[in-house]
Amino acid sequence: DIVMTQSPDSLAVSLGERATINCKSSQSVLYSSNNKNYLAWYQQKPGQPPKLLIYWASIRESGVPDRFSGSGSGTDFTLTINTLQAEDVAIYYCQQYYSSPPETTFGQGTRLEIK
Amino acid sequence: QVQLVESGGDLVKPGGSLRLSCAASGFTFSDFHMSWIRQAPGKGLEWVSHISSSGTIVHYADSVKGRFTISRDNSKNSLHLQMNSLGAEDTAVYYCARLMSGFYTPLDFWGQGTLVTVSS
């Protein structure tokens, strides 16, 4: 199984500042045949289901504000939230969908709060 | 718009069974692979099962293999999860979710979830 490890577990950032969340996979999720990283990021607000933010490591889902961006390749990935807004308070999860046979695993989550 | 509405969650005794359903609308259900994901209270996300668009290919997490069965009825736009031999570790909110484009793609739409509580 591919283990996804996020850091930090929680962070507090001031409004208008930048938040950075890291995700490390226990093995590469880069598929060399198509040069795609099988990595997604989700946002989950209290009492709500997760919402897809980023997929293929850096592609923003339709409707997601451009202050959200994803980067990284292979085993190390980052979700960056620029100009933090109050509505960004949530738990953020990374997910790999590379494993075969198909199974998917999530990071443990990172709780983002306002400082 | 895409909608996924789960139902069937309940309080069940250890060793009992439960069948969850997910009603899909707003998209061509038969074109998409689907998944069940669960979240124990206060915990993270755990994948449970995938099913192909036709229903012929299924995959399960080791934690539920042999106890849970995923199925779908494309004529009724519905997804199901039959859960047997339930234990306390199965207590969670169960989400149905749509795979964007095949098994090796992200989950682009999620339902609101249904709560399963296993307790005596």
Side-chain angles (χ1 to χ4, degrees):
Chain A
D1 290 9
I2 299 178
V3 177
M4 308 300 289
T5 304
Q6 293 181 226
S7 61
D9 289 334
S10 64
L11 78 161
V13 176
S14 300
L15 289 172
E17 297 300 305
R18 176 183 299 164
T20 301
I21 299 171
N22 301 300
C23 176
K24 189 175 185 66
S25 57
S26 60
Q27 65 187 74
S28 176
V29 298
L30 172 64
Y31 188 44
S32 55
S33 296
N34 59 13
N35 202 36
K36 285 186 173 182
N37 286 284
Y38 286 57
L39 190 285
W41 289 96
Y42 297 84
Q43 175 193 64
Q44 186 177 31
K45 296 182 179 181
Q48 295 185 20
K51 173 189 172 185
L52 177 64
L53 295 177
I54 303 283
Y55 58 98
W56 303 126
S58 62
I59 306 298
R60 202 178 302 115
E61 174 70 325
S62 176
V64 173
D66 60 7
R67 64 179 182 274
F68 291 89
S69 63
S71 62
S73 185
T75 61
D76 293 280
F77 300 91
T78 300
L79 174 69
T80 301
I81 310 170
N82 287 307
T83 319
L84 191 72
Q85 307 291 306
E87 63 262 30
D88 300 334
V89 168
I91 299 175
Y92 293 83
Y93 295 94
C94 62
Q95 175 216 15
Q96 67 79 19
Y97 43 94
Y98 177 91
S99 296
S100 180
E103 63 177 40
T104 184
T105 49
F106 296 87
Q108 80 276 18
T110 295
R111 184 181 299 273
L112 175 60
E113 299 172 332
I114 303 297
K115 186 186 293 182
Chain B
Q1 71 281 21
V2 172
Q3 279 203 309
L4 299 168
V5 180
E6 301 91 338
S7 61
D10 204 348
L11 171 64
V12 61
K13 288 181 167 51
S17 298
L18 208 56
R19 186 178 191 241
L20 305 183
S21 296
C22 172
S25 60
F27 65 104
T28 305
F29 181 68
S30 59
D31 284 349
F32 289 86
H33 295 12
M34 299 291 295
S35 299
W36 287 99
I37 309 292
R38 68 184 179 183
Q39 186 170 36
K43 301 297 184 183
L45 301 167
E46 180 189 14
W47 170 71
V48 173
S49 183
H50 284 332
I51 187 168
S52 64
S53 57
S54 64
T56 56
I57 302 172
V58 297
H59 297 279
Y60 299 97
D62 287 343
S63 58
V64 307
K65 203 171 292 183
R67 300 188 300 123
F68 289 12
T69 302
I70 190 171
S71 63
R72 63 192 295 161
D73 185 342
N74 285 345
S75 68
K76 295 182 179 177
N77 292 343
S78 61
L79 176 71
H80 305 284
L81 186 68
Q82 176 66 42
M83 303 187 296
N84 298 330
S85 303
L86 286 163
E89 68 277 10
D90 298 313
T91 293
V93 173
Y94 284 73
Y95 296 102
C96 74
R98 189 181 83 169
L99 285 154
M100 181 182 282
S101 179
F103 284 130
Y104 301 95
T105 62
L107 300 149
D108 62 351
F109 285 95
W110 298 59
Q112 289 295 315
T114 188
L115 177 62
V116 172
T117 304
V118 184
S119 175
S120 54

